[in-house]
Amino acid sequence: MPAIAQSKFSRPTAILHRTPWTPPVAKGAEGIYIDLEDGRRVLDAVGGAAVVCLGNSHPKVIQAMKDQIDNVSYVYNMQLSNQPAEALANKLISTSKGAFTTCGFVCGGTEAMESVIKLGKQYYAEIGQPQRKNYIARQLSFHGNSLATLSLSYHPTRRAAYVDLLNAERFHHVSPAYAKRFQKPDETEEQYVERLRQELEDKFIALGPNTVIGFVAETVVGATTGVVPAPKGYFKGMGTLHGWESFGDNVAPDIQAIAKGLGGGYAPIGAVLMSKKVADGIKNGSGLWKHGHTYQGHPVACAAALAVQNVVESENLLENIRKQGAYLESLLQARLKGPNALAAPYTFDIRGGGGFWGIEFDFTDATDLDFGKEAFALRVQARALELGLVIIGMTGGSNLEGTKGDHVILAPAYIVTKEQIEEIAAIFVQSVEEVLKEATV
């Protein structure tokens, strides 16, 4: 956070925070609004980390959690299963359009991807192919913050402190599917996709096709590059992916990792969904998932997630967020890239879908701006918070080295209204413009 804003949020704390500044303290929340200890009420325009899909304090979710605590607060999944875990599993499988037959639960996204890595290896061991030991992923991807998932990922800044510990022998990378930055000027979209497909095939051949466990990819890259979907047709030639129905060419993966909106922030939970092929391979072998954690399949977390999914369905919230997301895009396009927009020369891209949007800025040719030591995106995040809006500003997603790029992510809860979308757009654009004006030399 810029020094000019940091002092406003300084306070004593015994927590070693993830940020170079001390964040304000939330003391209450309702819907998409959060009340802070300093008396301000702020609008959460990004759902924390694109997690809070229902907003806070939904009565049905709170009641489901209370009821579960009254009934069974905890059982260990190597001894007993529990009703909400079984019900949530059935819900996830029954709504997967036949893609999956089995699932397992974890406590979040990193654990889910760690589980995917181990599950893939176990599957091939169970079917008699133990020589498979390599994974292929993409540069500028992010799959989690454990050592294994950081090895699989290629988020330069998050990997930097741990490079000496990461496994480069088993985790390999190919180019990102990021047309706006890496498609050649003389390439069509189809030619770009074919080049990426050939690169992946070449990587398989170089490693030895019978040594590869799988190709792992995000359908929409979130934090690293700022809501970047793959180009059309990419996944039809690639195989494994997750989040496939909206941006994945409708190609079902063998294994899918989910978290974030699964529990909507009400409880830490993630899940790993398995295709019939993978599930049968294990069931016909050892018959069990050789992976687990103390809080796996936690009854209260599963009850919360089941309630969240039921509310999303019963209140038709996917339709609302599609509608409001389209409206948000139209406002951003007009106010950031319109003919009279102050930010137009620097707004490189506005992209996304539903309620998940990324705005990328580029200052390569800007000679009249000086942001000092503070990145533009972080300055905008800080200014937005001063003005009552919570957003995420990120840097380093515009080149493979992680040294270029500013982007902001917006992901309001599915319950957001038209009036709140207008407020989000207005405060965000005001924040961008104020930071630009202050940096003008």
Side-chain angles (χ1 to χ4, degrees):
M1 182 173 290
I4 55 172
Q6 184 177 348
S7 61
K8 297 185 179 182
F9 304 121
S10 296
R11 56 178 175 79
T13 178
I15 298 174
L16 181 60
H17 288 283
R18 295 178 61 191
T19 55
W21 62 88
T22 304
V25 176
K27 68 173 186 177
E30 182 178 8
I32 67 171
Y33 294 97
I34 302 172
D35 297 318
L36 306 182
E37 275 190 344
D38 63 13
R40 292 181 299 147
R41 168 165 277 204
V42 297
L43 192 163
D44 183 1
V46 71
V51 171
V52 186
C53 55
L54 291 189
N56 279 274
S57 303
H58 195 288
K60 291 183 179 179
V61 182
I62 292 173
Q63 191 61 52
M65 296 177 73
K66 288 180 177 179
D67 290 345
Q68 188 58 46
I69 291 172
D70 287 341
N71 291 331
V72 179
S73 59
Y74 175 75
V75 292
Y76 183 41
N77 72 331
M78 286 193 72
Q79 299 160 339
L80 298 168
S81 187
N82 63 83
Q83 289 179 328
E86 297 289 344
L88 179 60
N90 288 333
K91 175 85 170 181
L92 295 175
I93 298 306
S94 67
T95 56
S96 71
K97 299 182 179 179
F100 309 108
T101 63
T102 310
C103 80
F105 294 114
V106 293
C107 295
T110 291
E111 279 188 20
M113 286 307 302
E114 187 90 12
S115 305
V116 166
I117 293 169
K118 294 172 71 175
L119 179 64
K121 178 59 179 173
Q122 181 186 344
Y123 166 74
Y124 277 113
E126 300 271 16
I127 66 169
Q129 298 184 37
Q131 80 283 357
R132 292 185 181 267
K133 57 190 177 182
N134 293 311
Y135 275 99
I136 303 172
R138 300 183 303 194
Q139 295 168 312
L140 297 182
S141 64
F142 183 64
H143 300 292
N145 253 333
S146 68
L147 286 176
T149 55
L150 277 176
S151 297
L152 180 68
S153 305
Y154 204 93
H155 189 302
T157 55
R158 293 184 183 180
R159 285 165 56 100
Y162 310 104
V163 167
D164 292 342
L165 299 177
L166 301 183
N167 187 338
E169 185 179 352
R170 296 290 178 255
F171 296 95
H172 312 270
H173 300 89
V174 292
S175 297
Y178 188 179
K180 191 80 174 180
R181 285 289 180 187
F182 298 105
Q183 182 177 334
K184 297 177 180 178
D186 59 347
E187 279 183 319
T188 64
E189 184 176 54
E190 293 77 10
Q191 289 170 334
Y192 177 53
V193 168
E194 173 56 25
R195 176 161 62 87
L196 295 177
R197 186 205 64 77
Q198 186 62 54
E199 181 186 1
L200 179 62
E201 182 175 337
D202 292 343
K203 180 67 74 173
F204 267 87
I205 293 171
L207 293 171
N210 66 344
T211 73
V212 176
I213 296 172
F215 170 60
V216 183
E218 305 147 286
T219 48
V220 178
V221 181
T224 314
T225 54
V227 196
V228 175
K232 184 178 180 181
Y234 176 83
F235 284 105
K236 288 184 178 179
M238 296 299 184
T240 305
L241 67 152
H242 52 271
W244 46 278
E245 289 182 281
S246 297
F247 292 96
D249 299 319
N250 207 34
V251 178
D254 293 317
I255 305 171
Q256 179 176 346
I258 58 176
K260 291 191 181 289
L262 176 60
Y266 284 88
I269 188 168
V272 176
L273 310 181
M274 309 169 203
S275 67
K276 185 177 187 300
K277 180 180 79 172
V278 172
D280 286 351
I282 291 174
K283 290 176 181 178
N284 294 332
S286 66
L288 57 95
W289 191 15
K290 297 179 179 179
H291 174 73
H293 297 279
T294 301
Y295 293 105
Q296 190 170 344
H298 193 283
V300 180
C302 290
L306 181 61
V308 167
Q309 298 310 309
N310 286 339
V311 168
V312 169
E313 182 179 351
S314 65
E315 297 185 7
N316 199 26
L317 293 181
L318 293 182
E319 178 58 32
N320 180 65
I321 195 58
R322 281 192 286 264
K323 178 181 177 181
Q324 303 303 341
Y327 184 45
L328 176 60
E329 182 194 15
S330 69
L331 294 177
L332 295 174
Q333 292 285 358
R335 298 181 187 183
L336 292 175
K337 300 184 77 172
N340 298 316
L342 179 65
Y346 318 109
T347 304
F348 180 76
D349 197 19
I350 299 171
R351 54 193 176 237
F356 195 33
W357 291 92
I359 305 94
E360 183 177 352
F361 299 91
D362 192 312
F363 300 98
T364 303
D365 299 323
T367 58
D368 58 343
L369 296 173
D370 182 5
F371 299 113
K373 296 180 180 180
E374 307 288 353
F376 172 77
L378 299 184
R379 283 183 172 270
V380 172
Q381 176 181 322
R383 180 56 51 85
L385 186 57
E386 290 179 17
L387 296 173
L389 189 71
V390 181
I391 61 175
I392 290 179
M394 305 289 286
T395 63
S398 300
N399 63 0
L400 299 182
E401 296 75 26
T403 59
K404 175 185 176 182
D406 292 89
H407 62 266
V408 171
I409 297 176
L410 302 175
Y414 302 172
I415 61 171
V416 69
T417 65
K418 179 180 179 182
E419 292 73 24
Q420 290 166 339
I421 288 291
E422 291 171 349
E423 186 177 2
I424 290 169
I427 298 176
F428 173 58
V429 172
Q430 179 184 348
S431 303
V432 169
E433 292 182 345
E434 287 185 6
V435 171
L436 287 174
K437 289 175 182 177
E438 290 169 1
T440 302
V441 294

